[in-house]
Amino acid sequence: MTGPSDAQVIRRVLAGDREMYAQLVDRYRDRLGRYALRMLGERADAEDAVQETFVRAYRSLSRCEPDNFGAWVYGILVNRCRTNGARRARNNARMVADEAAMARASVAHTEERDTLRDAIHWALERLPTEQREAFLLKHVEDLSYETMEQLTGVRPSALRMRVLRARDGLRKLLAEAVRD
């Protein structure tokens, strides 16, 4: 990392140099955006969640332990994604008679190189939220179970089980997508 550390930036922001906060935003925006997009599925929703996260983090920066900004801001994002995802699910609830047929139709019309990515996205969306969250934090964001515990408040043993169940669920869903 070039430039000042997160802790140095936070100390300067808290001392009144508000412009320094942009360095933290630049440093974490892409990673947080990837996670939010995978959790929420819609770019606009993900961008909103990331923006809300940075606003909330800025307002609460004095409560952040400077050496732990990355985990702390991820924790805020995890909560924003949970809240936004639940709100969207309530607002967009609809009945579909045959979800598998709907998924096959959407996957069938993609280019060959995008088929696998779309199938994975489709399968991820069908996992229970807790499993999808744990899977993404572990295998996409490459976080340790201890860091995941700090972010989610869930014990590592439960997180391991969620990741294991997510893997099993993804295997089954992807096998189903390939058969169809």
mmCIF file with all atom_site columns, all heavy atoms in Angstrom, residues 8-20:
data_model
loop_
_atom_site.group_PDB
_atom_site.id
_atom_site.type_symbol
_atom_site.label_atom_id
_atom_site.label_alt_id
_atom_site.label_comp_id
_atom_site.label_asym_id
_atom_site.label_entity_id
_atom_site.label_seq_id
_atom_site.pdbx_PDB_ins_code
_atom_site.Cartn_x
_atom_site.Cartn_y
_atom_site.Cartn_z
_atom_site.occupancy
_atom_site.B_iso_or_equiv
_atom_site.pdbx_formal_charge
_atom_site.auth_seq_id
_atom_site.auth_comp_id
_atom_site.auth_asym_id
_atom_site.auth_atom_id
_atom_site.pdbx_PDB_model_num
ATOM 1   N N   . GLN A 1 8  ? -3.242  6.101  9.983  1.00 0.00 ? 8  GLN A N   1
ATOM 2   C CA  . GLN A 1 8  ? -2.759  7.476  9.820  1.00 0.00 ? 8  GLN A CA  1
ATOM 3   C C   . GLN A 1 8  ? -3.824  8.346  9.168  1.00 0.00 ? 8  GLN A C   1
ATOM 4   O O   . GLN A 1 8  ? -4.036  9.491  9.572  1.00 0.00 ? 8  GLN A O   1
ATOM 5   C CB  . GLN A 1 8  ? -1.480  7.489  8.981  1.00 0.00 ? 8  GLN A CB  1
ATOM 6   C CG  . GLN A 1 8  ? -0.293  6.860  9.671  1.00 0.00 ? 8  GLN A CG  1
ATOM 7   C CD  . GLN A 1 8  ? 0.879   6.639  8.728  1.00 0.00 ? 8  GLN A CD  1
ATOM 8   O OE1 . GLN A 1 8  ? 0.683   6.335  7.548  1.00 0.00 ? 8  GLN A OE1 1
ATOM 9   N NE2 . GLN A 1 8  ? 2.095   6.765  9.259  1.00 0.00 ? 8  GLN A NE2 1
ATOM 10  N N   . VAL A 1 9  ? -4.497  7.813  8.166  1.00 0.00 ? 9  VAL A N   1
ATOM 11  C CA  . VAL A 1 9  ? -5.553  8.572  7.488  1.00 0.00 ? 9  VAL A CA  1
ATOM 12  C C   . VAL A 1 9  ? -6.677  8.881  8.477  1.00 0.00 ? 9  VAL A C   1
ATOM 13  O O   . VAL A 1 9  ? -7.152  10.028 8.551  1.00 0.00 ? 9  VAL A O   1
ATOM 14  C CB  . VAL A 1 9  ? -6.103  7.790  6.262  1.00 0.00 ? 9  VAL A CB  1
ATOM 15  C CG1 . VAL A 1 9  ? -7.333  8.482  5.695  1.00 0.00 ? 9  VAL A CG1 1
ATOM 16  C CG2 . VAL A 1 9  ? -5.023  7.655  5.209  1.00 0.00 ? 9  VAL A CG2 1
ATOM 17  N N   . ILE A 1 10 ? -7.082  7.912  9.242  1.00 0.00 ? 10 ILE A N   1
ATOM 18  C CA  . ILE A 1 10 ? -8.179  8.111  10.207 1.00 0.00 ? 10 ILE A CA  1
ATOM 19  C C   . ILE A 1 10 ? -7.803  9.174  11.225 1.00 0.00 ? 10 ILE A C   1
ATOM 20  O O   . ILE A 1 10 ? -8.618  10.054 11.534 1.00 0.00 ? 10 ILE A O   1
ATOM 21  C CB  . ILE A 1 10 ? -8.548  6.777  10.892 1.00 0.00 ? 10 ILE A CB  1
ATOM 22  C CG1 . ILE A 1 10 ? -9.216  5.853  9.869  1.00 0.00 ? 10 ILE A CG1 1
ATOM 23  C CG2 . ILE A 1 10 ? -9.444  7.003  12.102 1.00 0.00 ? 10 ILE A CG2 1
ATOM 24  C CD1 . ILE A 1 10 ? -9.395  4.428  10.332 1.00 0.00 ? 10 ILE A CD1 1
ATOM 25  N N   . ARG A 1 11 ? -6.599  9.116  11.730 1.00 0.00 ? 11 ARG A N   1
ATOM 26  C CA  . ARG A 1 11 ? -6.160  10.131 12.714 1.00 0.00 ? 11 ARG A CA  1
ATOM 27  C C   . ARG A 1 11 ? -6.199  11.532 12.107 1.00 0.00 ? 11 ARG A C   1
ATOM 28  O O   . ARG A 1 11 ? -6.617  12.487 12.756 1.00 0.00 ? 11 ARG A O   1
ATOM 29  C CB  . ARG A 1 11 ? -4.767  9.793  13.224 1.00 0.00 ? 11 ARG A CB  1
ATOM 30  C CG  . ARG A 1 11 ? -4.774  8.618  14.169 1.00 0.00 ? 11 ARG A CG  1
ATOM 31  C CD  . ARG A 1 11 ? -3.398  8.372  14.809 1.00 0.00 ? 11 ARG A CD  1
ATOM 32  N NE  . ARG A 1 11 ? -3.399  7.065  15.434 1.00 0.00 ? 11 ARG A NE  1
ATOM 33  C CZ  . ARG A 1 11 ? -2.899  5.952  14.878 1.00 0.00 ? 11 ARG A CZ  1
ATOM 34  N NH1 . ARG A 1 11 ? -2.293  6.009  13.704 1.00 0.00 ? 11 ARG A NH1 1
ATOM 35  N NH2 . ARG A 1 11 ? -2.960  4.807  15.512 1.00 0.00 ? 11 ARG A NH2 1
ATOM 36  N N   . ARG A 1 12 ? -5.803  11.641 10.847 1.00 0.00 ? 12 ARG A N   1
ATOM 37  C CA  . ARG A 1 12 ? -5.827  12.959 10.196 1.00 0.00 ? 12 ARG A CA  1
ATOM 38  C C   . ARG A 1 12 ? -7.257  13.429 9.959  1.00 0.00 ? 12 ARG A C   1
ATOM 39  O O   . ARG A 1 12 ? -7.573  14.607 10.136 1.00 0.00 ? 12 ARG A O   1
ATOM 40  C CB  . ARG A 1 12 ? -5.043  12.915 8.885  1.00 0.00 ? 12 ARG A CB  1
ATOM 41  C CG  . ARG A 1 12 ? -3.526  12.845 9.164  1.00 0.00 ? 12 ARG A CG  1
ATOM 42  C CD  . ARG A 1 12 ? -2.692  12.809 7.935  1.00 0.00 ? 12 ARG A CD  1
ATOM 43  N NE  . ARG A 1 12 ? -2.852  13.988 7.099  1.00 0.00 ? 12 ARG A NE  1
ATOM 44  C CZ  . ARG A 1 12 ? -2.248  14.133 5.929  1.00 0.00 ? 12 ARG A CZ  1
ATOM 45  N NH1 . ARG A 1 12 ? -1.433  13.197 5.479  1.00 0.00 ? 12 ARG A NH1 1
ATOM 46  N NH2 . ARG A 1 12 ? -2.441  15.216 5.204  1.00 0.00 ? 12 ARG A NH2 1
ATOM 47  N N   . VAL A 1 13 ? -8.145  12.507 9.566  1.00 0.00 ? 13 VAL A N   1
ATOM 48  C CA  . VAL A 1 13 ? -9.553  12.880 9.369  1.00 0.00 ? 13 VAL A CA  1
ATOM 49  C C   . VAL A 1 13 ? -10.149 13.345 10.693 1.00 0.00 ? 13 VAL A C   1
ATOM 50  O O   . VAL A 1 13 ? -10.818 14.382 10.754 1.00 0.00 ? 13 VAL A O   1
ATOM 51  C CB  . VAL A 1 13 ? -10.365 11.696 8.791  1.00 0.00 ? 13 VAL A CB  1
ATOM 52  C CG1 . VAL A 1 13 ? -11.853 12.012 8.791  1.00 0.00 ? 13 VAL A CG1 1
ATOM 53  C CG2 . VAL A 1 13 ? -9.885  11.363 7.378  1.00 0.00 ? 13 VAL A CG2 1
ATOM 54  N N   . LEU A 1 14 ? -9.888  12.604 11.748 1.00 0.00 ? 14 LEU A N   1
ATOM 55  C CA  . LEU A 1 14 ? -10.435 12.963 13.061 1.00 0.00 ? 14 LEU A CA  1
ATOM 56  C C   . LEU A 1 14 ? -9.841  14.266 13.589 1.00 0.00 ? 14 LEU A C   1
ATOM 57  O O   . LEU A 1 14 ? -10.473 14.963 14.383 1.00 0.00 ? 14 LEU A O   1
ATOM 58  C CB  . LEU A 1 14 ? -10.210 11.825 14.058 1.00 0.00 ? 14 LEU A CB  1
ATOM 59  C CG  . LEU A 1 14 ? -11.005 10.550 13.775 1.00 0.00 ? 14 LEU A CG  1
ATOM 60  C CD1 . LEU A 1 14 ? -10.608 9.438  14.743 1.00 0.00 ? 14 LEU A CD1 1
ATOM 61  C CD2 . LEU A 1 14 ? -12.501 10.812 13.843 1.00 0.00 ? 14 LEU A CD2 1
ATOM 62  N N   . ALA A 1 15 ? -8.643  14.612 13.118 1.00 0.00 ? 15 ALA A N   1
ATOM 63  C CA  . ALA A 1 15 ? -8.007  15.870 13.516 1.00 0.00 ? 15 ALA A CA  1
ATOM 64  C C   . ALA A 1 15 ? -8.512  17.049 12.686 1.00 0.00 ? 15 ALA A C   1
ATOM 65  O O   . ALA A 1 15 ? -8.101  18.181 12.906 1.00 0.00 ? 15 ALA A O   1
ATOM 66  C CB  . ALA A 1 15 ? -6.491  15.746 13.387 1.00 0.00 ? 15 ALA A CB  1
ATOM 67  N N   . GLY A 1 16 ? -9.410  16.763 11.713 1.00 0.00 ? 16 GLY A N   1
ATOM 68  C CA  . GLY A 1 16 ? -10.009 17.860 10.964 1.00 0.00 ? 16 GLY A CA  1
ATOM 69  C C   . GLY A 1 16 ? -9.716  17.874 9.481  1.00 0.00 ? 16 GLY A C   1
ATOM 70  O O   . GLY A 1 16 ? -10.282 18.687 8.745  1.00 0.00 ? 16 GLY A O   1
ATOM 71  N N   . ASP A 1 17 ? -8.841  17.003 9.003  1.00 0.00 ? 17 ASP A N   1
ATOM 72  C CA  . ASP A 1 17 ? -8.511  16.961 7.585  1.00 0.00 ? 17 ASP A CA  1
ATOM 73  C C   . ASP A 1 17 ? -9.496  16.020 6.869  1.00 0.00 ? 17 ASP A C   1
ATOM 74  O O   . ASP A 1 17 ? -9.170  14.892 6.506  1.00 0.00 ? 17 ASP A O   1
ATOM 75  C CB  . ASP A 1 17 ? -7.066  16.483 7.396  1.00 0.00 ? 17 ASP A CB  1
ATOM 76  C CG  . ASP A 1 17 ? -6.589  16.592 5.960  1.00 0.00 ? 17 ASP A CG  1
ATOM 77  O OD1 . ASP A 1 17 ? -7.386  16.984 5.086  1.00 0.00 ? 17 ASP A OD1 1
ATOM 78  O OD2 . ASP A 1 17 ? -5.400  16.271 5.721  1.00 0.00 ? 17 ASP A OD2 1
ATOM 79  N N   . ARG A 1 18 ? -10.700 16.517 6.652  1.00 0.00 ? 18 ARG A N   1
ATOM 80  C CA  . ARG A 1 18 ? -11.774 15.696 6.092  1.00 0.00 ? 18 ARG A CA  1
ATOM 81  C C   . ARG A 1 18 ? -11.476 15.192 4.691  1.00 0.00 ? 18 ARG A C   1
ATOM 82  O O   . ARG A 1 18 ? -11.977 14.158 4.274  1.00 0.00 ? 18 ARG A O   1
ATOM 83  C CB  . ARG A 1 18 ? -13.075 16.494 6.075  1.00 0.00 ? 18 ARG A CB  1
ATOM 84  C CG  . ARG A 1 18 ? -13.575 16.801 7.454  1.00 0.00 ? 18 ARG A CG  1
ATOM 85  C CD  . ARG A 1 18 ? -14.839 17.582 7.397  1.00 0.00 ? 18 ARG A CD  1
ATOM 86  N NE  . ARG A 1 18 ? -15.282 17.879 8.755  1.00 0.00 ? 18 ARG A NE  1
ATOM 87  C CZ  . ARG A 1 18 ? -16.249 18.685 9.039  1.00 0.00 ? 18 ARG A CZ  1
ATOM 88  N NH1 . ARG A 1 18 ? -16.913 19.293 8.070  1.00 0.00 ? 18 ARG A NH1 1
ATOM 89  N NH2 . ARG A 1 18 ? -16.590 18.898 10.284 1.00 0.00 ? 18 ARG A NH2 1
ATOM 90  N N   . GLU A 1 19 ? -10.657 15.917 3.958  1.00 0.00 ? 19 GLU A N   1
ATOM 91  C CA  . GLU A 1 19 ? -10.327 15.518 2.585  1.00 0.00 ? 19 GLU A CA  1
ATOM 92  C C   . GLU A 1 19 ? -9.608  14.161 2.542  1.00 0.00 ? 19 GLU A C   1
ATOM 93  O O   . GLU A 1 19 ? -9.677  13.457 1.544  1.00 0.00 ? 19 GLU A O   1
ATOM 94  C CB  . GLU A 1 19 ? -9.445  16.580 1.922  1.00 0.00 ? 19 GLU A CB  1
ATOM 95  C CG  . GLU A 1 19 ? -10.021 17.991 1.956  1.00 0.00 ? 19 GLU A CG  1
ATOM 96  C CD  . GLU A 1 19 ? -11.331 18.104 1.204  1.00 0.00 ? 19 GLU A CD  1
ATOM 97  O OE1 . GLU A 1 19 ? -11.426 17.562 0.089  1.00 0.00 ? 19 GLU A OE1 1
ATOM 98  O OE2 . GLU A 1 19 ? -12.261 18.730 1.739  1.00 0.00 ? 19 GLU A OE2 1
ATOM 99  N N   . MET A 1 20 ? -8.945  13.801 3.617  1.00 0.00 ? 20 MET A N   1
ATOM 100 C CA  . MET A 1 20 ? -8.201  12.538 3.657  1.00 0.00 ? 20 MET A CA  1
ATOM 101 C C   . MET A 1 20 ? -9.129  11.321 3.586  1.00 0.00 ? 20 MET A C   1
ATOM 102 O O   . MET A 1 20 ? -8.704  10.235 3.195  1.00 0.00 ? 20 MET A O   1
ATOM 103 C CB  . MET A 1 20 ? -7.356  12.457 4.940  1.00 0.00 ? 20 MET A CB  1
ATOM 104 C CG  . MET A 1 20 ? -6.155  13.364 4.950  1.00 0.00 ? 20 MET A CG  1
ATOM 105 S SD  . MET A 1 20 ? -4.936  12.964 3.678  1.00 0.00 ? 20 MET A SD  1
ATOM 106 C CE  . MET A 1 20 ? -4.343  11.387 4.254  1.00 0.00 ? 20 MET A CE  1
#
